């Protein structure tokens, strides 16, 4: 069983930055791709970023490309999401996610391929 624990959310003004962290419990963390999703009130869960097992390949939707950066430190079993130039529309609960098997980075964007979810960390961007 893999446990994912997010941290780093909070309140920030538009144009500001936040760095989210996701600590994984499993020693197999370094074997799998990881992802971040978000869910705003009344909206469906949305893919935000994905990274392959080594950190050499990343994937983003157009809505965050150039503003968000996903990274990982396998020695610390931790993934990160650096969010810059934040906008009010980025307000949501952000979730860390992981598959249960080897998964291509682009396939992380599909929630059907996600087996493990964190409990989320809220991000509020004020205008």
């Amino acid at each position: 069983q893999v446990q994912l624990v997010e941290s780093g959310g909070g309140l920030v003004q538009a144009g500001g930055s936040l760095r989210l962290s996701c600590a994984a419990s499993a020693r197999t963390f370094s074997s799998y791709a990881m992802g971040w999703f978000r869910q705003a009130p009344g909206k469906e869960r949305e893919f935000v970023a994905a990274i392959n097992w080594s950190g050499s390949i990343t994937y983003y939707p157009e809505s965050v490309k150039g503003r968000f950066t996903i990274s990982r430190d396998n020695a610390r079993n931790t993934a990160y999401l650096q969010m810059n130039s934040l906008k009010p529309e980025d307000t949501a609960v952000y979730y860390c996610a992981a598959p249960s098997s080897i998964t291509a980075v682009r396939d992380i964007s599909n929630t059907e391929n996600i087996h493990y979810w964190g409990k989320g960390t809220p991000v509020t961007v004020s205008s």
Side-chain angles (χ1 to χ4, degrees):
Q1 183 74 13
V2 176
Q3 290 186 328
L4 304 174
V5 179
E6 304 94 336
S7 61
L11 174 64
V12 63
Q13 288 189 332
S17 299
L18 279 176
R19 188 195 196 202
L20 307 183
S21 297
C22 170
S25 63
R27 286 175 290 179
T28 56
F29 169 84
S30 61
S31 301
Y32 301 135
M34 296 286 295
W36 287 92
F37 290 75
R38 67 186 180 187
Q39 188 165 19
K43 295 188 176 181
E44 292 187 353
R45 194 162 294 192
E46 175 189 20
F47 167 70
V48 173
I51 190 167
N52 74 328
W53 70 273
S54 68
S56 62
I57 302 173
T58 57
Y59 178 55
Y60 307 92
E62 287 299 322
S63 58
V64 305
K65 191 176 292 184
R67 300 189 298 121
F68 290 12
T69 303
I70 187 171
S71 62
R72 66 191 297 162
D73 183 343
N74 288 339
R76 297 177 182 270
N77 282 1
T78 302
Y80 304 96
L81 184 67
Q82 178 67 43
M83 305 185 296
N84 298 329
S85 302
L86 283 163
K87 306 175 182 179
E89 51 263 45
D90 294 318
T91 295
V93 177
Y94 283 70
Y95 298 90
C96 183
S100 59
S101 61
I102 302 299
T103 304
V105 172
R106 285 182 177 265
D107 290 341
I108 295 294
S109 64
N110 186 341
T111 56
E112 293 184 357
N113 295 321
I114 300 300
H115 191 77
Y116 301 106
W117 294 96
K119 293 184 178 181
T121 185
V123 172
T124 302
V125 184
S126 62
S127 57

